[in-house]
Amino acid sequence: MTETLDSVWNTALNTDVAAKQLELELSKQQKEQEKIVAKLEETKKKIGVLIKKKTEYLNGASLGAFQPSLNFEETTLRSIVKAIMWRIIAGSVTFYTAFSFSKSLKTALSIVGSDFLSKAVTMFIGKRLMNKSQAGRKDGGDAVGRSLAKALIWRLFAICNTLAAGMFFAKDIKIASKIAGSDAIFKTFLMFNYERVWAKVEWGKEYKPDFYI
């Protein structure tokens, strides 16, 4: 008798649990249905607007036009050219400062060579990463703040790079510090102006046209 009651109780309990699970699942699916219905209504409204616009256009009204966009991205070739041209300019400055402080042509050439190989690649990568952001871009070019930020960010990396190269080839931390320090002061100003010049160059910019209806 006791076993029968236990069996009945367990069956009722299991049925109750199953019913609650079904109820929860039903409630979940009903909420999903409500979302889908709401989305469908929104889509219907958009379709209605588009149909109206199409009818007006076929009747002679103006549909809209492509508006000139100020958002753009640099092509890969533009980034490569900018990186190489900067390395030529910056390398000349580094050669002068390295030779002036080390009094060694071999040391100066070694530092410049090391800088060119490492910084040309890292600068290209940096430009491609920066290219993904539209922050600080306006009127189809980089704003002053963006150019300054790029110059400062790059100089932080470049100082460490030049200092390491100077210590490795000159074997003197004082000489390496002088080279890196003079580079930091002069090249920050130089690179800022370099970026300002390139901001006005249209070659290598790919504008993103926006379509307005």
Side-chain angles (χ1 to χ4, degrees), residues 54-67:
K54 179 183 176 181
T55 303
E56 291 174 351
Y57 173 70
L58 293 175
N59 290 333
S62 176
L63 176 62
F66 283 99
Q67 301 295 330

Side-chain angles (χ1 to χ4, degrees), residues 18-44:
K20 287 182 178 180
Q21 289 178 340
L22 288 171
E23 186 178 347
L24 289 173
E25 183 63 26
L26 178 62
S27 177
K28 179 181 177 181
Q29 293 302 322
Q30 286 175 335
K31 288 180 180 179
E32 288 295 323
Q33 183 183 36
E34 290 173 0
K35 290 180 182 179
I36 293 172
V37 171
K39 185 66 177 178
L40 180 61
E41 290 299 320
E42 182 182 350
T43 304
K44 284 182 179 179

Side-chain angles (χ1 to χ4, degrees), residues 178-199:
K178 289 179 180 179
I179 296 171
S182 60
D183 264 16
I185 295 171
F186 186 68
K187 285 187 186 176
T188 300
F189 173 77
L190 187 63
M191 187 175 187
F192 170 76
N193 285 280
Y194 179 79
E195 287 292 333
R196 296 312 301 148
V197 171
W198 270 100

Side-chain angles (χ1 to χ4, degrees), residues 134-161:
Q134 293 296 322
R137 281 178 172 167
K138 66 177 184 178
D139 300 330
D142 287 357
V144 174
R146 182 181 173 97
S147 295
L148 181 60
K150 288 166 72 175
L152 292 174
I153 291 171
W154 173 250
R155 288 320 311 159
L156 287 174
F157 166 78
I159 289 171
C160 298
N161 189 291

Side-chain angles (χ1 to χ4, degrees), residues 114-135:
S114 172
D115 263 14
F116 189 90
L117 292 173
S118 61
K119 291 181 182 177
V121 175
T122 50
M123 187 175 188
F124 169 75
I125 294 172
K127 286 192 171 297
R128 298 313 296 165
L129 292 173
M130 287 288 289
N131 191 45
K132 296 181 182 297
S133 172
Q134 293 296 322

